[in-house]
Amino acid sequence: MTIRIQLNHLNDLEVTIHNILSEESKTKALTITEAAALTGVSPSKISKFVKKIGFSGYKEYFRFITGKELVKQKKMSTEFSRIKDFMENFDPSTATYLAELISTYDKIILFGYGPTNICMEYFEYKLTYTVEKHVIRATEASMIPGLLTENTLLLIFSVAGKFAQFDSLFEEANRQQAKALLVIEELNSNLLLDNAEIIYLTKSQQADHLASHEKTRTILFIFIEEVIRELSKQTKRET
Protein backbone atom coordinates (compact mmCIF):
# COMPACT_ATOMS: atom_id res chain seq x y z
CA MET A 1 0.00 0.00 0.00
CA THR A 2 1.38 3.41 -0.99
CA ILE A 3 0.28 6.76 0.42
CA ARG A 4 1.54 10.07 -0.86
CA ILE A 5 1.22 12.64 1.93
CA GLN A 6 1.09 16.25 0.72
CA LEU A 7 1.12 18.62 3.70
CA ASN A 8 2.76 21.33 1.61
CA HIS A 9 -0.46 21.77 -0.37
CA LEU A 10 -2.53 22.88 2.63
CA ASN A 11 -3.98 26.35 3.08
CA ASP A 12 -3.76 28.21 6.39
CA LEU A 13 -7.04 26.80 7.73
CA GLU A 14 -6.06 23.24 6.87
CA VAL A 15 -2.65 23.69 8.50
CA THR A 16 -4.44 24.87 11.65
CA ILE A 17 -6.77 21.84 11.55
CA HIS A 18 -3.83 19.48 11.16
CA ASN A 19 -1.87 21.10 14.01
CA ILE A 20 -4.84 21.02 16.41
CA LEU A 21 -5.70 17.40 15.66
CA SER A 22 -2.07 16.31 15.85
CA GLU A 23 -1.78 17.86 19.32
CA GLU A 24 -5.14 16.67 20.66
CA SER A 25 -4.60 13.12 19.38
CA LYS A 26 -1.69 12.71 21.81
CA THR A 27 -4.10 12.51 24.75
CA LYS A 28 -7.39 11.17 23.40
CA ALA A 29 -9.15 9.50 20.50
CA LEU A 30 -11.33 11.72 18.37
CA THR A 31 -14.21 10.83 16.09
CA ILE A 32 -14.61 12.83 12.91
CA THR A 33 -17.53 14.71 14.53
CA GLU A 34 -15.40 15.58 17.57
CA ALA A 35 -12.52 16.63 15.31
CA ALA A 36 -14.87 18.93 13.39
CA ALA A 37 -16.23 20.51 16.57
CA LEU A 38 -12.73 20.96 17.98
CA THR A 39 -11.48 22.76 14.86
CA GLY A 40 -14.66 24.73 14.17
CA VAL A 41 -15.44 23.17 10.78
CA SER A 42 -17.94 20.65 9.45
CA PRO A 43 -17.29 16.87 9.28
CA SER A 44 -17.40 17.11 5.48
CA LYS A 45 -14.58 19.69 5.63
CA ILE A 46 -12.50 17.26 7.73
CA SER A 47 -13.21 14.52 5.20
CA LYS A 48 -12.11 16.70 2.26
CA PHE A 49 -9.04 17.84 4.19
CA VAL A 50 -7.72 14.32 4.91
CA LYS A 51 -8.31 13.23 1.32
CA LYS A 52 -6.45 16.30 0.09
CA ILE A 53 -3.45 15.21 2.17
CA GLY A 54 -3.53 11.74 0.62
CA PHE A 55 -5.51 9.50 2.99
CA SER A 56 -8.51 7.40 2.08
CA GLY A 57 -10.54 8.73 5.01
CA TYR A 58 -10.49 10.21 8.51
CA LYS A 59 -9.83 6.90 10.30
CA GLU A 60 -6.69 6.30 8.24
CA TYR A 61 -5.53 9.88 8.87
CA PHE A 62 -6.12 9.58 12.60
CA ARG A 63 -4.19 6.30 12.79
CA PHE A 64 -1.33 8.07 11.04
CA ILE A 65 -1.13 11.04 13.41
CA THR A 66 -1.32 8.72 16.43
CA GLY A 67 1.53 6.58 15.11
CA LYS A 68 -0.52 3.42 14.59
CA GLU A 69 -0.35 0.99 11.67
CA LEU A 70 -2.39 2.35 8.79
CA VAL A 71 -3.69 -1.06 7.78
CA LYS A 72 -4.53 -3.83 10.18
CA GLN A 73 -3.45 -7.30 9.09
CA LYS A 74 -6.17 -8.92 7.05
CA LYS A 75 -7.55 -12.20 8.25
CA MET A 76 -5.67 -14.94 6.47
CA SER A 77 -7.49 -17.54 4.43
CA THR A 78 -7.83 -21.01 5.92
CA GLU A 79 -5.07 -22.30 3.64
CA PHE A 80 -2.64 -19.53 4.60
CA SER A 81 -3.40 -20.18 8.27
CA ARG A 82 -2.74 -23.89 7.77
CA ILE A 83 0.61 -23.21 6.08
CA LYS A 84 1.54 -20.69 8.79
CA ASP A 85 0.75 -23.28 11.47
CA PHE A 86 2.90 -25.85 9.64
CA MET A 87 5.85 -23.48 9.45
CA GLU A 88 5.57 -22.46 13.10
CA ASN A 89 5.37 -26.06 14.32
CA PHE A 90 7.64 -27.76 11.80
CA ASP A 91 9.99 -30.36 13.23
CA PRO A 92 13.34 -29.98 11.40
CA SER A 93 14.37 -33.48 12.45
CA THR A 94 11.98 -34.95 9.87
CA ALA A 95 13.84 -33.21 7.03
CA THR A 96 17.17 -34.24 8.56
CA TYR A 97 16.01 -37.85 8.83
CA LEU A 98 14.92 -38.01 5.18
CA ALA A 99 18.12 -36.32 4.04
CA GLU A 100 20.14 -38.95 5.92
CA LEU A 101 18.13 -41.74 4.30
CA ILE A 102 18.77 -40.31 0.85
CA SER A 103 22.47 -40.11 1.64
CA THR A 104 22.49 -43.77 2.73
CA TYR A 105 20.98 -45.39 -0.36
CA ASP A 106 22.45 -45.63 -3.85
CA LYS A 107 19.20 -45.52 -5.80
CA ILE A 108 16.28 -43.17 -5.02
CA ILE A 109 12.86 -43.81 -6.54
CA LEU A 110 10.30 -41.00 -6.30
CA PHE A 111 6.58 -41.47 -6.80
CA GLY A 112 3.32 -39.63 -6.27
CA TYR A 113 -0.16 -40.04 -7.69
CA GLY A 114 -1.76 -37.34 -9.87
CA PRO A 115 -0.55 -33.76 -9.35
CA THR A 116 1.78 -34.93 -6.58
CA ASN A 117 3.93 -36.49 -9.30
CA ILE A 118 4.70 -32.93 -10.40
CA CYS A 119 6.19 -32.40 -6.93
CA MET A 120 8.29 -35.49 -7.53
CA GLU A 121 9.47 -34.12 -10.86
CA TYR A 122 10.68 -31.02 -9.03
CA PHE A 123 12.25 -33.15 -6.27
CA GLU A 124 14.02 -35.26 -8.90
CA TYR A 125 15.44 -32.11 -10.51
CA LYS A 126 16.71 -30.73 -7.21
CA LEU A 127 18.20 -34.06 -6.09
CA THR A 128 20.04 -34.53 -9.38
CA TYR A 129 21.97 -31.32 -8.78
CA THR A 130 22.45 -31.87 -5.04
CA VAL A 131 23.57 -35.49 -4.55
CA GLU A 132 25.44 -38.03 -6.61
CA LYS A 133 22.74 -40.68 -6.62
CA HIS A 134 20.76 -42.63 -9.17
CA VAL A 135 17.46 -40.74 -8.94
CA ILE A 136 14.40 -42.05 -10.79
CA ARG A 137 10.91 -40.58 -10.85
CA ALA A 138 8.32 -43.27 -11.51
CA THR A 139 5.45 -41.86 -13.54
CA GLU A 140 3.23 -44.91 -12.92
CA ALA A 141 2.94 -47.22 -9.92
CA SER A 142 3.33 -50.21 -12.26
CA MET A 143 6.91 -49.11 -13.01
CA ILE A 144 8.09 -49.41 -9.42
CA PRO A 145 8.45 -53.21 -8.97
CA GLY A 146 10.83 -53.38 -11.94
CA LEU A 147 12.94 -50.56 -10.52
CA LEU A 148 13.31 -51.87 -6.98
CA THR A 149 16.61 -53.46 -6.05
CA GLU A 150 18.62 -53.90 -2.90
CA ASN A 151 20.01 -50.60 -1.53
CA THR A 152 17.09 -48.68 -3.02
CA LEU A 153 15.03 -46.02 -1.24
CA LEU A 154 11.42 -45.71 -2.41
CA LEU A 155 9.87 -42.36 -1.49
CA ILE A 156 6.15 -41.97 -2.01
CA PHE A 157 4.54 -38.56 -1.44
CA SER A 158 0.81 -37.97 -1.02
CA VAL A 159 -1.50 -35.20 0.18
CA ALA A 160 -3.90 -37.39 2.14
CA GLY A 161 -3.43 -40.98 0.99
CA LYS A 162 -7.19 -41.47 0.71
CA PHE A 163 -7.49 -42.49 -2.93
CA ALA A 164 -4.32 -44.47 -3.51
CA GLN A 165 -3.11 -48.01 -2.88
CA PHE A 166 0.27 -48.27 -1.20
CA ASP A 167 0.24 -51.76 0.34
CA SER A 168 1.48 -53.60 -2.73
CA LEU A 169 4.32 -51.11 -3.24
CA PHE A 170 5.52 -51.53 0.33
CA GLU A 171 5.23 -55.30 0.10
CA GLU A 172 7.28 -55.35 -3.09
CA ALA A 173 9.92 -53.09 -1.56
CA ASN A 174 10.15 -55.45 1.40
CA ARG A 175 10.59 -58.45 -0.92
CA GLN A 176 13.37 -56.66 -2.78
CA GLN A 177 15.03 -55.66 0.53
CA ALA A 178 14.54 -52.01 -0.34
CA LYS A 179 13.55 -49.22 2.03
CA ALA A 180 10.14 -47.59 1.52
CA LEU A 181 8.87 -44.40 3.14
CA LEU A 182 5.54 -42.64 2.74
CA VAL A 183 5.38 -38.85 3.23
CA ILE A 184 1.84 -37.55 3.73
CA GLU A 185 0.81 -33.95 4.19
CA GLU A 186 -2.50 -34.43 6.01
CA LEU A 187 -3.07 -36.58 9.07
CA ASN A 188 -5.07 -39.64 8.01
CA SER A 189 -5.87 -41.89 10.96
CA ASN A 190 -7.71 -44.32 8.67
CA LEU A 191 -4.56 -45.17 6.74
CA LEU A 192 -3.28 -48.47 8.10
CA LEU A 193 -0.35 -50.05 6.32
CA ASP A 194 1.48 -53.14 7.51
CA ASN A 195 5.23 -52.68 7.91
CA ALA A 196 5.03 -49.13 6.53
CA GLU A 197 6.97 -46.12 7.72
CA ILE A 198 5.01 -42.90 7.42
CA ILE A 199 5.87 -39.25 8.00
CA TYR A 200 2.87 -36.98 8.55
CA LEU A 201 3.77 -33.35 7.90
CA THR A 202 0.70 -31.77 9.52
CA LYS A 203 -2.16 -32.60 11.85
CA SER A 204 -4.56 -30.65 9.66
CA GLN A 205 -6.68 -31.36 6.59
CA GLN A 206 -7.54 -29.19 3.63
CA ALA A 207 -11.20 -28.40 3.00
CA ASP A 208 -13.40 -31.50 2.67
CA HIS A 209 -15.13 -30.22 -0.46
CA LEU A 210 -11.87 -30.23 -2.42
CA ALA A 211 -11.14 -33.15 -4.71
CA SER A 212 -7.62 -34.57 -4.54
CA HIS A 213 -6.50 -32.75 -7.69
CA GLU A 214 -7.87 -29.46 -6.33
CA LYS A 215 -5.79 -29.54 -3.14
CA THR A 216 -2.59 -27.55 -2.84
CA ARG A 217 0.85 -29.18 -2.66
CA THR A 218 2.46 -26.14 -1.03
CA ILE A 219 3.51 -27.91 2.16
CA LEU A 220 5.00 -30.80 0.19
CA PHE A 221 7.11 -28.31 -1.78
CA ILE A 222 8.23 -26.57 1.42
CA PHE A 223 9.24 -29.90 2.93
CA ILE A 224 11.17 -30.83 -0.22
CA GLU A 225 13.10 -27.56 0.01
CA GLU A 226 14.02 -28.30 3.62
CA VAL A 227 15.26 -31.77 2.69
CA ILE A 228 17.38 -30.30 -0.12
CA ARG A 229 18.78 -27.73 2.28
CA GLU A 230 19.77 -30.50 4.70
CA LEU A 231 21.42 -32.48 1.90
CA SER A 232 23.34 -29.39 0.80
CA LYS A 233 24.60 -28.90 4.37
CA GLN A 234 25.72 -32.54 4.52
CA THR A 235 27.56 -32.19 1.21
CA LYS A 236 29.40 -29.09 2.41
CA ARG A 237 30.48 -30.85 5.61
CA GLU A 238 31.90 -33.73 3.61
CA THR A 239 33.98 -31.51 1.29
Side-chain angles (χ1 to χ4, degrees):
M1 176 182 177
T2 302
I3 294 176
R4 184 182 178 186
I5 300 172
Q6 298 175 299
L7 296 176
N8 58 326
H9 290 180
L10 301 181
N11 57 39
D12 290 343
L13 174 60
E14 291 164 341
V15 170
T16 300
I17 292 171
H18 176 67
N19 290 339
I20 292 172
L21 295 182
S22 295
E23 186 63 31
E24 290 297 319
S25 67
K26 295 177 182 178
T27 57
K28 58 184 175 181
L30 297 169
T31 65
I32 190 170
T33 303
E34 291 169 335
L38 186 65
T39 55
V41 297
S42 66
S44 62
K45 176 62 179 177
I46 295 291
S47 181
K48 290 177 182 178
F49 151 69
V50 299
K51 288 180 180 178
K52 181 178 179 179
I53 295 176
F55 294 95
S56 62
Y58 174 75
K59 287 184 179 180
E60 187 178 68
Y61 166 75
F62 193 79
R63 291 183 69 83
F64 171 73
I65 62 176
T66 53
K68 296 179 181 178
E69 290 181 342
L70 295 183
V71 180
K72 294 181 180 179
Q73 277 198 342
K74 294 181 179 179
K75 184 178 179 181
M76 291 188 294
S77 70
T78 302
E79 181 61 8
F80 270 115
S81 297
R82 199 177 68 87
I83 294 170
K84 181 173 179 287
D85 181 69
F86 163 73
M87 295 175 70
E88 290 176 346
N89 296 286
F90 177 65
D91 181 2
S93 66
T94 56
T96 303
Y97 172 65
L98 184 50
E100 289 173 348
L101 280 181
I102 291 170
S103 297
T104 301
Y105 289 85
D106 293 331
K107 183 194 292 184
I108 315 298
I109 301 173
L110 307 174
F111 179 68
Y113 286 97
T116 304
N117 206 268
I118 298 172
C119 298
M120 296 301 94
E121 183 177 4
Y122 179 74
F123 199 7
E124 176 190 26
Y125 175 85
K126 297 286 278 193
L127 282 175
T128 300
Y129 287 94
T130 307
V131 294
E132 294 183 3
K133 302 286 181 179
H134 186 194
V135 182
I136 304 171
R137 177 177 60 91
T139 54
E140 299 289 341
S142 58
M143 295 175 58
I144 294 174
L147 296 172
L148 289 168
T149 57
E150 191 176 343
N151 208 17
T152 295
L153 174 63
L154 171 62
L155 296 177
I156 305 172
F157 278 56
S158 177
V159 172
K162 293 181 178 180
F163 309 104
Q165 298 298 319
F166 303 110
D167 298 84
S168 60
L169 297 177
F170 276 91
E171 290 171 4
E172 187 61 29
N174 188 51
R175 279 195 292 270
Q176 298 287 350
Q177 296 184 316
K179 170 74 174 178
L181 176 67
L182 179 60
V183 179
I184 297 188
E185 179 183 317
E186 301 178 6
L187 183 63
N188 181 0
S189 57
N190 295 320
L191 185 62
L192 299 174
L193 296 173
D194 295 333
N195 302 315
E197 185 175 354
I198 306 173
I199 292 177
Y200 287 106
L201 297 180
T202 71
K203 295 180 180 179
S204 64
Q205 285 84 34
Q206 295 188 45
D208 290 336
H209 69 271
L210 295 174
S212 179
H213 69 275
E214 294 175 317
K215 293 187 176 185
T216 72
R217 270 71 179 169
T218 307
I219 287 176
L220 293 182
F221 276 114
I222 294 173
F223 182 64
I224 286 170
E225 292 293 355
E226 285 301 299
V227 173
I228 293 297
R229 187 179 63 84
E230 284 295 323
L231 286 167
S232 296
K233 284 166 56 179
Q234 291 178 13
T235 302
K236 290 178 181 178
R237 286 196 296 265
E238 293 169 0
T239 56

